[in-house]
Amino acid sequence: MSGTSEGQRASAGTAPGTPAAPVTERHTTAPTENGPARTDSTPAGSARTDSAPTGPGGGDAGSIASELRDYRAAFNAATLPMGVVDGRGHVVRANEALGGLLGTPAAVLAGRQACELLDLATDDRTWHAYREVLLGRRSRFRCTRRLKHPDGRSLWAEITVVPMTGASAAESARVLLTVADVSDRRELQERLRHLQMHDPVTRLPNRTLFFERLASTLETPPYQDDSLPPRQHARIGLCYLDLDGFKAINDTLGHRTGDRLLAAVAARLTDCAENDASRNAGGSRLVARLGGDEFAILVEDSAGTQELTDLARSVLAALQQPFDLAGQRLSVSASIGVVERTAAGTSPTGLMQAADTTLYWAKADGRARWTLFDPERNAHRMTRQSLSSTLRPAVERGEFTLEYQPLVGMADGVLRGVEALVRWNHPQFGVLPPNRFVQIAEEDGSIVQLGRWVLRTACRQARRWQLDHPDEPPLFISVNVAVRQVWDSDLVADVAQILAETELAPGLLQLELTESAVMGSGGRPLRALQALSDMGVRIAIDDFGTGYSNLAYLSRLPVSVLKLDGAFVKGFRYEDGTHPSPADETIVEAMVQLAHRLGLTVTAECVETAGQAERLRRIGCDTGQGWLYSRAVAPEQIAGLIGSRPLEG
């Protein structure tokens, strides 16, 4: 059959309204059902026959040309904007829908760079992916771009680029480009995201959006000018606050009033953040509700600690002004934790932990205030937490030891007994005195286990001294007992068992409880103390005179000894050039006389000088304890003091 006519080639190879190109440069392409298909281009002077090639259905060249015309007609009439792009990125052919989308006749788009028409070269990642498809190295590329419609409105377009099949190796690669208007879908997605990312009560960003913004800020710190090199010392700040007493408002006035209050608080916080941003040129402020009555103000590119503390002050002042809510006048306050630091090396988790800790400090310090994060205070807290987590295992590992401080007769200076003082040989922090861990042990309940170990070890040691020095009067052993040991364990049974195990006489054991723990005791604690006293164990009130001394209780409790707090004894000093306090001496003398009339003995703590010892002896104190006689020492040193000369001076 004869070759294809010139008119046929022109109609097959050019876009509507464009002049016919030379045969050597013409490419006839059209989309097919299974993807774009295209015919071979015919070099100048060559001939093509109707019989070759045949289509899949065995049709001749005429039927193929007819199909191609049908496909081109469908391409041009399609409502979906489409275009054919060659391997160099030039538009070969565009349909009318694409021209309408871009506000340019389809014929005029031929030869234009598709990347310029559809904004595909604005970022490196998109440009690279697009080029990979043009070069045949990638099977598909899809992106979303914001385009300007000819009528002036913006629209979101989803652009897809796929290779066209059927090209010969001699031809440049071509791709089919489609553009779908997804503005409605995008708008719906944005509305849904806004609902997901904002609090319905206050309309503020919620916890999810806050952490998303925080993570983004720390990953890419804000800079004042993109043309300048990145700042190496970008800083970030956070005010983390919650309302004091908000639960009471919810409980008494209802959740609707509580929600109105939260919305009003959010408005004031937003005003404070905006005013702060206008005063301090720099990064933006993000106000968010993190949940309940907790709010956060994130300061990007902070100018320093002063900026954050000024913001915290303005927030407190703003919230202290009364709120008028539907005829109700409410007043609230807030506690604020303030953290400010360099962005480098800071994680969202670390920043929020610091903020949460600082907010806790603000509440513990009295509420209605702001508190700045203190690394040293936080280190102490972390140390405390570390001690708490390892205290129970430390008892099992045998990390605790006992030292003993002498209790000396004031009249003759002879050793009468010792007080057992526990020490923690911590593998990381060294030797720790009781004030570093006893309170922690009381809070987490491990004091029961630790106290039982102390009691058993001290009684065993007292019995050993007694056996080693049979000719000397036996020493009594004094052991501190926490009130939680009385409540959380069967202290009476423990004492009875330990005395039986060690064969120590009950009269040689003295249990010390603080005044606050003993005074007002009733029920189980009082029954336990009475049972111990009936057993023959001596009960001593430690730090007497510093708490609430209910003398009526004192007359009914099974108490044997009062230990005067060292604060009274310190007023007896002569040696440091200060005059003694007459009031302290009068108080001590009255307490000693009262104790003796009740049949109690008195021990003075913190005796450090001979002058103090002399005055206490004259007043009538029975025993003394302090550095004048000895510090707390190992049991071997106590053994050397038994039966020795008077210890004083």
Side-chain angles (χ1 to χ4, degrees):
M1 297 193 51
S2 61
T4 307
S5 67
E6 186 65 22
Q8 290 174 321
R9 290 197 300 271
S11 63
T14 60
T18 59
V23 176
T24 54
E25 298 180 2
R26 187 178 68 249
H27 300 275
T28 57
T29 65
T32 68
E33 294 177 357
N34 297 321
R38 72 196 212 186
T39 62
D40 294 337
S41 61
T42 306
S46 64
R48 290 173 49 185
T49 65
D50 293 336
S51 60
T54 60
D60 58 15
S63 63
I64 293 175
S66 177
E67 291 177 6
L68 290 176
R69 283 193 298 271
D70 292 341
Y71 281 125
R72 287 197 186 94
F75 174 83
N76 291 327
T79 58
L80 179 66
M82 293 187 292
V84 177
V85 180
D86 66 18
R88 293 173 298 174
H90 295 113
V91 176
V92 176
R93 184 165 49 256
N95 68 358
E96 293 299 333
L98 182 60
L101 179 73
L102 300 177
T104 305
V108 178
L109 294 178
R112 298 277 299 275
Q113 278 284 351
C115 64
E116 296 176 358
L117 295 172
L118 299 173
D119 194 29
L120 298 178
T122 53
D123 66 86
D124 292 341
R125 179 177 296 179
T126 299
W127 171 248
H128 176 73
Y130 170 63
R131 290 294 301 166
E132 289 289 289
V133 178
L134 293 182
L135 297 173
R137 299 172 183 166
R138 180 170 175 158
S139 62
R140 176 180 291 267
F141 161 68
R142 177 176 294 169
C143 70
T144 303
R145 278 290 180 269
R146 192 168 190 171
L147 305 178
K148 194 76 169 178
H149 196 273
D151 62 9
R153 64 184 174 87
S154 295
L155 62 87
W156 286 98
E158 184 178 80
I159 302 167
T160 305
V161 183
V162 295
M164 297 180 66
T165 60
S168 66
E171 291 183 302
S172 299
R174 291 185 177 184
V175 298
L176 178 67
L177 179 147
T178 60
V179 184
D181 186 348
V182 294
S183 300
D184 291 343
R185 186 177 73 190
R186 182 85 177 202
E187 183 180 351
L188 177 60
Q189 289 175 341
E190 289 180 352
R191 285 202 303 267
L192 291 175
R193 174 174 168 79
H194 187 275
L195 291 174
Q196 285 181 322
M197 296 296 185
H198 287 77
D199 172 53
V201 174
T202 63
R203 301 292 190 264
L204 291 178
N206 62 14
R207 188 180 190 90
T208 303
L209 181 54
F210 172 81
F211 278 100
E212 184 178 290
R213 177 80 166 267
L214 175 59
S216 175
T217 300
L218 292 176
E219 289 173 3
T220 309
Y223 305 117
Q224 291 182 329
D225 190 341
D226 291 338
S227 65
L228 299 176
R231 291 169 51 184
Q232 299 300 316
H233 303 291
R235 303 185 69 83
I236 190 169
L238 179 63
C239 289
Y240 182 36
L241 65 112
D242 75 0
L243 305 180
D244 300 325
F246 177 74
K247 184 178 184 300
I249 293 175
N250 261 348
D251 293 344
T252 57
L253 301 179
H255 287 273
R256 178 173 296 182
T257 300
D259 287 349
R260 288 173 179 165
L261 177 60
L262 291 174
V265 167
R268 292 192 185 180
L269 293 179
T270 301
D271 289 342
C272 288
E274 291 175 351
N275 293 335
D276 179 71
S278 64
R279 288 193 305 268
N280 301 280
S284 61
R285 312 287 185 269
L286 176 69
V287 182
R289 182 189 177 196
L290 302 188
D293 60 338
E294 295 180 358
F295 296 85
I297 304 178
L298 178 66
V299 179
E300 299 176 350
D301 203 18
S302 162
T305 301
Q306 187 65 45
E307 180 181 354
L308 268 294
T309 55
D310 288 345
L311 175 58
R313 288 190 188 95
S314 66
V315 167
L316 283 181
L319 295 183
Q320 285 172 353
Q321 299 299 318
F323 291 86
D324 291 317
L325 305 173
Q328 291 181 310
R329 192 173 178 85
L330 299 178
S331 296
V332 297
S333 63
S335 300
I336 307 176
V338 181
V339 182
E340 202 280 337
R341 57 180 56 173
T342 58
T346 298
S347 67
T349 301
L351 186 68
M352 290 308 299
Q353 283 179 341
D356 188 60
T357 297
T358 313
L359 175 59
Y360 172 80
W361 294 342
K363 287 190 170 296
D365 292 343
R367 302 190 175 193
R369 67 188 63 218
W370 60 267
T371 300
L372 183 65
F373 180 76
D374 181 359
E376 184 175 343
R377 184 175 180 180
N378 187 60
H380 177 74
R381 181 187 70 88
M382 296 298 290
T383 300
R384 179 183 174 88
Q385 173 129 13
S386 175
L387 294 179
S388 177
S389 63
T390 57
L391 204 154
R392 289 179 184 272
V395 178
E396 300 170 0
R397 290 193 298 263
E399 294 180 4
F400 291 91
T401 58
L402 291 183
E403 292 183 346
Y404 302 89
Q405 188 170 29
L407 293 161
V408 178
M410 300 291 298
D412 54 12
V414 174
L415 181 64
R416 305 290 187 189
V418 293
E419 180 181 353
L421 300 172
V422 63
R423 304 285 188 262
W424 186 356
N425 296 319
H426 197 280
Q428 179 181 355
F429 303 115
V431 179
L432 301 178
N435 61 355
R436 291 290 301 277
F437 59 85
V438 166
Q439 184 179 358
I440 299 173
E442 291 180 0
E443 291 174 358
D444 67 11
S446 59
I447 191 66
V448 174
Q449 180 185 10
L450 178 60
R452 190 178 292 119
W453 177 87
V454 170
L455 184 62
R456 178 175 286 104
T457 304
C459 290
R460 186 181 296 118
Q461 182 61 61
R463 177 60 176 163
R464 185 175 300 116
W465 285 325
Q466 184 180 14
L467 294 176
D468 291 344
H469 302 83
D471 298 331
E472 301 292 339
L475 301 180
F476 71 86
I477 187 82
S478 189
V479 178
N480 290 279
V481 175
V483 67
R484 188 159 183 175
Q485 291 177 256
V486 182
W487 281 105
D488 293 359
S489 68
D490 192 343
L491 182 62
V492 177
D494 288 344
V495 169
Q497 179 183 355
I498 290 172
L499 291 177
E501 289 176 3
T502 60
E503 298 181 350
L504 184 69
L508 296 179
L509 175 62
Q510 176 175 291
L511 299 180
E512 296 186 20
L513 291 90
T514 61
E515 181 179 350
S516 59
V518 175
M519 291 302 176
S521 293
R524 181 177 178 180
L526 180 58
R527 290 194 299 272
L529 295 179
Q530 188 62 59
L532 290 168
S533 179
D534 293 344
M535 192 187 301
V537 175
R538 297 197 290 182
I539 306 298
I541 299 178
D542 197 12
D543 301 328
F544 186 78
T546 59
Y548 175 70
S549 303
N550 189 326
L551 300 182
Y553 273 104
L554 183 61
S555 65
R556 294 196 295 267
L557 287 172
V559 176
S560 304
V561 181
L562 297 183
K563 294 189 73 173
L564 299 181
D565 188 81
F568 296 110
V569 178
K570 290 179 181 178
F572 285 29
R573 296 182 67 88
Y574 277 109
E575 289 78 358
D576 60 0
T578 61
H579 296 288
S581 169
D584 284 344
E585 185 169 352
T586 301
I587 291 172
V588 170
E589 185 174 6
M591 287 192 293
V592 170
Q593 292 177 359
L594 173 64
H596 286 168
R597 291 194 177 190
L598 293 174
L600 310 178
T601 61
V602 179
T603 298
E605 298 179 304
C606 299
V607 182
E608 298 178 356
T609 68
Q612 290 172 324
E614 174 58 31
R615 298 183 70 198
L616 290 167
R617 184 166 40 246
R618 190 168 60 248
I619 288 173
C621 280
D622 301 286
T623 55
Q625 177 181 1
W627 291 357
L628 173 66
Y629 309 110
S630 174
R631 296 174 182 265
V633 295
E636 296 79 14
Q637 293 178 263
I638 294 296
L641 299 177
I642 297 175
S644 63
R645 60 181 176 79
L647 298 183
E648 183 181 339

